[in-house]
Amino acid sequence: MSPTLPTVVLLAQGDELTAGQTVDTNSSWLAQNLHRLGYKVTGIAICPDQPSAIQKALHVASSQGDVVISTGGLGPTADDYTAEAAARWAGVDLVLHEESLERIETIWKSRNRVMPASNQKQAMVPASSTILTNHWGTAPGFLVEHKNTRAFFLPGVPREMRQFWTNHLEPMLRQNTLAQPRRRAVLRCIGIAESQLQDRLNALPLPAEVGIHYKTQLPENRIIIDAPGELNQRDFDQAAQLVQQHIGPSCLGINTPPLPE
């Protein structure tokens, strides 16, 4: 029997998200990378800039996932409430992290400017949290471990968030021995309907571990093949080639660039 995959819930904060003014690209990017590592995303939620809403979302998320990853709400302005909500959720106080404050002050000095008093807020973190140093911006990230959940809190700026993932989260999450990295291949198809693709692939003799998923993104229909990393690479490649052969000339190939390219 296969071990239960570790689970993750993704949270994104911001009135601009709930108002539809900004698209939450962070969560989709994180979900793809978590899937690659062998984690199962069990939920994605968006919260407005309200302490009570964020705190409630953390309670729900922690009941659904072994890991919570939150993006956004760590800025210096009055509507950035994530650190405060995280502290309330964990039942601890907010404390000043001196090293982070010094780092923020240094950034402002490098610009020949005095740090605004409001930026000190970004160095306020939940007591006993583990600091994730921000080498790409001002607000530090942090990890709060509460009950049976590890909750990571990251800046919402996509450029910073991705650096946090590469340099902090991915190395830490790889240490979970239950997470099994997955194999993945994408086949782009043109001139064939999604239902026709399914009819052609329904009876294929593929290894039981190989999954086939369908996604329409006009003008393409995509076939996404994935399997646990423990499946031999040669067997996975043969499965992908078999899918390509059964689709026929409508398939542009395996892991090819987008159609315009």
Side-chain angles (χ1 to χ4, degrees), residues 102-171:
E102 291 175 6
R103 179 178 292 276
I104 297 169
E105 289 174 336
T106 299
I107 291 173
W108 280 93
K109 287 179 181 177
S110 70
R111 301 169 181 169
N112 295 318
R113 300 175 66 184
V114 177
M115 185 192 81
S118 60
N119 278 99
Q120 180 171 319
K121 178 183 178 182
Q122 294 183 291
M124 300 296 294
V125 298
S128 75
S129 59
T130 300
I131 301 301
L132 307 174
T133 303
N134 188 349
H135 297 287
W136 315 279
T138 52
F142 51 88
L143 163 64
V144 177
E145 301 189 59
H146 181 51
K147 295 183 177 179
N148 296 318
T149 301
R150 304 172 76 199
F152 295 88
F153 296 86
L154 313 179
V157 179
R159 176 183 60 82
E160 294 182 35
M161 182 279 296
R162 296 184 184 195
Q163 291 286 2
F164 270 89
W165 167 266
T166 301
N167 294 278
H168 292 302
L169 270 68
E170 183 171 0

Side-chain angles (χ1 to χ4, degrees), residues 58 63 75 169 249:
L58 285 170
S63 70
L169 270 68

Side-chain angles (χ1 to χ4, degrees), residues 35-59:
H35 181 77
R36 172 177 55 82
L37 286 190
Y39 282 76
K40 182 178 181 180
V41 175
T42 57
I44 298 175
I46 298 175
C47 303
D49 291 318
Q50 298 173 3
S52 59
I54 299 171
Q55 187 178 348
K56 180 179 179 180
L58 285 170
H59 279 293

Side-chain angles (χ1 to χ4, degrees), residues 199-222:
D199 287 346
R200 292 189 186 185
L201 303 180
N202 266 344
L204 279 187
L206 299 175
E209 307 95 323
V210 175
I212 295 181
H213 314 278
Y214 301 86
K215 180 179 180 180
T216 296
Q217 190 165 347
L218 296 176
E220 301 173 355
N221 276 312
R222 299 179 187 175

Side-chain angles (χ1 to χ4, degrees), residues 8-257:
V8 183
V9 176
L10 302 174
L11 298 179
Q13 280 84 35
D15 287 344
E16 71 281 3
L17 298 175
T18 57
Q21 297 169 345
T22 301
V23 176
D24 174 26
T25 58
N26 284 342
S27 293
S28 61
W29 189 91
L30 285 168
Q32 292 177 42
N33 283 277
L34 287 161
H35 181 77
R36 172 177 55 82
L37 286 190
Y39 282 76
K40 182 178 181 180
V41 175
T42 57
I44 298 175
I46 298 175
C47 303
D49 291 318
Q50 298 173 3
S52 59
I54 299 171
Q55 187 178 348
K56 180 179 179 180
L58 285 170
H59 279 293
V60 173
S62 62
S63 70
Q64 297 175 340
D66 305 309
V67 175
V68 174
I69 303 177
S70 166
T71 57
L74 300 182
T77 57
D79 59 351
D80 289 305
Y81 295 110
T82 298
E84 175 187 338
R88 290 183 182 179
W89 166 69
V92 298
D93 295 328
L94 278 178
V95 297
L96 179 66
H97 187 249
E98 295 285 354
E99 185 177 332
S100 293
L101 179 59
E102 291 175 6
R103 179 178 292 276
I104 297 169
E105 289 174 336
T106 299
I107 291 173
W108 280 93
K109 287 179 181 177
S110 70
R111 301 169 181 169
N112 295 318
R113 300 175 66 184
V114 177
M115 185 192 81
S118 60
N119 278 99
Q120 180 171 319
K121 178 183 178 182
Q122 294 183 291
M124 300 296 294
V125 298
S128 75
S129 59
T130 300
I131 301 301
L132 307 174
T133 303
N134 188 349
H135 297 287
W136 315 279
T138 52
F142 51 88
L143 163 64
V144 177
E145 301 189 59
H146 181 51
K147 295 183 177 179
N148 296 318
T149 301
R150 304 172 76 199
F152 295 88
F153 296 86
L154 313 179
V157 179
R159 176 183 60 82
E160 294 182 35
M161 182 279 296
R162 296 184 184 195
Q163 291 286 2
F164 270 89
W165 167 266
T166 301
N167 294 278
H168 292 302
L169 270 68
E170 183 171 0
M172 297 172 77
L173 294 176
R174 281 187 179 278
Q175 295 174 11
N176 190 323
T177 56
L178 294 179
Q180 301 177 1
R182 301 186 66 82
R183 303 193 187 280
R184 185 174 187 268
V186 178
L187 289 76
R188 301 174 187 274
C189 306
I190 296 292
I192 185 170
E194 191 176 38
S195 56
Q196 291 176 298
L197 286 170
Q198 180 168 289
D199 287 346
R200 292 189 186 185
L201 303 180
N202 266 344
L204 279 187
L206 299 175
E209 307 95 323
V210 175
I212 295 181
H213 314 278
Y214 301 86
K215 180 179 180 180
T216 296
Q217 190 165 347
L218 296 176
E220 301 173 355
N221 276 312
R222 299 179 187 175
I223 303 296
I224 300 171
I225 307 171
D226 77 341
E230 61 198 31
L231 180 67
N232 183 280
Q233 181 69 55
R234 180 179 177 183
D235 292 340
F236 181 77
D237 291 343
Q238 289 178 344
Q241 291 164 8
L242 184 61
V243 170
Q244 180 184 10
Q245 291 169 7
H246 274 70
I247 295 172
S250 297
C251 182
L252 301 179
I254 300 172
N255 292 329
T256 56

